Each structure stands twice: as structure tokens, then as C-alpha cells.
Amino acid sequence: MVDWSDLASFGQGVAEGIGSAAAGTVKGVAALAKAGESLATDPAARDAAYAKAKDAVTAATAFGEDALADPAGTAAAVYRNAQNAVGAAYTAADRFAQTATPEQWGQVVGQGTFYAGTAVVGGEAADAAGIGEAAGGAGAADEAVVAADGAAVAVDEGAAAVGDAAAAAKATDAGARADAIPCSAPSAVASCPLAAANPGLGPDVAAESGFSTVARVAELKDAIPPAQQGRITMAVGLAEDANGAQQVLVGTSEPMGYLRPGVTLNPGEILARGQGHAEENIVNLAQQNGLNLLEVGATRPIYPSCASLIESAGATPVTPLKVP
Amino acid sequence: MIMVSRAQFDRFERNAELAFLARLGGYLSARHPAFLPRFAPPVQAQIVAMMVARARRAGATWQSTIALFCDLMEAVAPNFHRDPELAATIGSPDPESDPRIRSLADRVDARVWAQAERNRSDLDLYVPPELDHAPVAERIAAALPVILWDRVPAAAAGRLATRATELARRLGFESLEDAPLAVAAWRTLYAGAGDSDARRSWAADIIDLGVPARQRLAALRLRIMIDHRRRA
């Protein structure tokens, strides 16, 4: 059950919580991430969030003292607060999907499936993917509202934010020191040694379990807009966790996991973000999360360096290799 | 004695600047998770660079002062420094600008901050300060490839800006200079979604001219965030 009070308390605490997701501070972050996931995957949740914000506007403009002087400003502030809460939830979901360990995922997911959405492609793409079931049905609609409590405090948010910003800046130091600004951006991409080329192709070992890496690669290749097919590489990795449960990782050569319109993830697939080759991002994600990578395929011939990287991770390239 | 050439020095400075921008981007992303992280990474860097340019133009030179200035641009309003009372308090750039900016919160009362927030315009986030005196249409056209980085090439921005500005006017948003950004995002992001606006119940809220324009514009931005996970 998502605790929507986390959205109500949107602000520094939540922001710090999101930033610390990679460090294992799951409480709060997980709830916020789950909220983002609900919004990303369930159209009803999105409508409910909007409706709740609208209700909050009605309440705030009817009873708030500030509303008497500036009802439109009060309403706009409530909507803006809701927008920030929703945006924070999406960001939490993105970061959680990128950094959480399997155990942390378990805490968020419960009996459902966590949809590792893309940070920059519209949420309505999720509709086409038919992954609404991940959000938990009717329960998610109840959960996916923008908290009225948060709307109530939004009226005062402007003034409070000033002091908050000033305090944060002062905490960073008064001078021009190079390290004055704390950096919270996760830097989790591991550099992996690249070795010699591997000329071989391995079997599609997971075909017997019902999932085919090669087939999924073909699906993704078809989904990439034709104009980009020769320039973008997407890769699929099959891995298993410590319990032997299979995980499908999807990587792209586009920065930070950007997915082109029309390219969607299937339920349960994990997006491997990063700045490297699609295959490299998959290897990194598997290593960061302790997953045992079994095989990797790609929509374009795999570079020898990537093939070597895949093999060094104990996995097998299952699609054609690029001739050096 | 080690001699550092001008070229080497310039490179050091450039690297230091890039590192600072990256750290600042991380800082702002943590402080405001609904802002920068909702853009593609290259666009985030572009926005941070423009925010920093504005902070420097106001006289900020310390990293911490620049960070505060940028923070206030999101926490209060991207154009907070244009508020007459705040502008007077910030003053013209001089060697004392940093302490003046750092003490803004102590020296300016809540009424002024609220006033700045009421007059919030997001345009300053997406347009370089060099265009501050350009016509609004030109500034809108410059901002559109930033907020719709994956949908609107620069070559098409002018035409879209004209259309969006006209639609914003028809919707009663003419007093809100950044409204065409949200309107353009609305028309672009929902185009071809297989469902007409008329069938979307929320669209009725946006076009209801009986509701104040600022309220409707804020509602539109919320809906775009809900449906498309992005700022407009």
C-alpha cells in the first residue's frame, strides 16, 4: 500500500530520500517509487490523481484564508504542488528501478510487477504496453491520488521554500570551494575491462523456459523507428537472481535509457540505463544488482569488445557478432 | 618552474566549469526531483547552463551563491529576480553581489516572495539570457526545442510557437507569457493519441474560460506531468 503522506511531505526530506535510494534508504523512497509506478502503469490512477488535485483546489479555494485574497493563485499553487509531487514520484520510480537491489525491489513490488519505465518518454506509452495490471487494480486507483494534505500546505510553500533554499545553500559553504555543492547524483556505472574479440555465437539457452532472447531482440528491432534502426542499438539480457528467478534486462545505446516512441518494455522487464553500449549497460546493471547474466542479444551486430565484456560476465552473446 | 600555457589553463578552466555544472545539476536534481530529472540528460545540462548564466548575470560568482540563485529559480519562480523589489535588493552586479544574494531570504519578507511566485514564468528556465530582450514569440520558439527536445526540432519551433501563442490567446492565456509552452506541449504530446481532446474530461477544465487563466494553466501542466512525466 502506498503511503501517500510521502507525497504530502514533498520537499527536502523526500528529495534527500530519493537521492539516497542507491544507498539503501528504502523507507519512503520505496513508497514514492511505488506511487510513480502506479501512475505510470494505470490510466485510472492518473485520472484519480488529477481528480484528487482538482478536489484539493476546490477545498483550498473555498476555505483557505489566502484564497480570499488570491483564489487563482491559491489554485495554481495547489496544482503546482501536485505537479511536483507527481514528478517526484516518477523520478523516484525511475531511480528506484535503476538502483534498487532485488531485495529492495521485493519490498516495493509485493505480489506485483514493478514496471521499470523510462524517465523521458510519455506515460501514455504505458497504456499501449498493456501493463496496467502491475499497478494493483482498484487499490492503485485509491492510492494514486495527490494528497489533499499536500495541497493544503502548498499555499505556504513559496515562502517556506525560500528559507529552505537559503539554508541549503548556506550549508554548502560560503566560499567558492570546488566541493561546496553536495553531489547526489548516483554514479553506479562500473567500468569493466574489455578483452579480446569473441567470434562465436551461443545458443538461446532460455528458449526452453518460454522466453527467447533472440525473439525479444527481434521485437525490439521492429519497434525502433526505421529511421533510427541503423543508429540505435538495443540489447536484451537474460539473467537470474539468487533464487533462480529469471529477469529480463533491456538496454539501449541511447543516453540514460531513452526509449524511442513505439518502443516499450514488457511487464517485468528492467531498463538498463547508462552511457555505454546497450550490451555494456546490461552487464553493468546485472553486476550492480548481483544478477547472474546468462545471455545477451542485440539488435545490431555485437562489437567484439562488447562480446568480450558479455563473456567476462559469464554470459553468452546469442545474436551475430560484428566482424572486427 | 612549471609554465602553464594559456591553452592549458583554458582547458583546466573549461573542465572545472563542466564539473561544476555537473555537480550543480546533481544538487538541483536532489533538491527538486520533479524538475531536472524529468528532462533528458543533455537537456538537463543545457537548462543548468542557462540557469547559471542567469545567476552570473545577476552578479553571483561563488558556487554556493550560484546554487542558491538556481535553487530559488525553481523553488520560487524562474523569474524571481525580475520582481521589482527583489531586483532592487539584488542590485547591480558588483563585488558585494554574493553576500547580497546569499542574504536574500533574511532581507526580503514573505510577501515579496509570494508576489514573485504569483508572477512565475517558466520561460527563463529554457531561454538563454541573451534573448531576454527579444520578442516573446522568439523566446517561445527558443524554448520549445528544450521542453519538447524529442519532438520539436529547432527548424519547426517558430511555426509551432506561432500556433501555440495564437491558441494560448484564444484560451485566455495572453497575460501569461509562458503559457504557449504548455499549450504547445499539450498539442504535441497528445496528438495522435487516438482520443480527441473533446473526449477527455480534463480538457474541459482547461478550456473553461469561466475559470481563471492561471488556474487552468496550472491544471494543464499537472495533467501533462501525470500523463507524460514531463514538465511543460
Side-chain angles (χ1 to χ4, degrees), chain A residues 138-169:
Chain A
D142 292 337
E143 296 161 4
V145 295
V146 177
D149 290 344
V153 302
V155 178
D156 297 326
E157 194 179 60
V162 175
D164 185 37

Side-chain angles (χ1 to χ4, degrees), chain B residues 16-84:
Chain B
E17 174 72 2
L18 291 175
F20 166 62
L21 293 178
R23 282 203 312 284
L24 181 58
Y27 173 71
L28 292 173
S29 294
R31 297 258 317 143
H32 306 286
F35 173 39
L36 285 176
R38 305 321 311 154
F39 294 87
V43 182
Q44 292 180 28
Q46 190 181 355
I47 292 171
V48 170
M50 288 190 283
M51 295 172 81
V52 168
R54 289 193 179 282
R56 287 182 168 143
R57 185 165 280 215
T61 59
W62 297 348
Q63 291 193 5
S64 54
T65 311
I66 293 172
L68 170 61
F69 194 97
C70 295
D71 201 343
L72 291 172
M73 286 183 74
E74 173 56 14
V76 177
N79 55 337
F80 78 93
H81 54 292
R82 296 180 193 275
D83 178 271

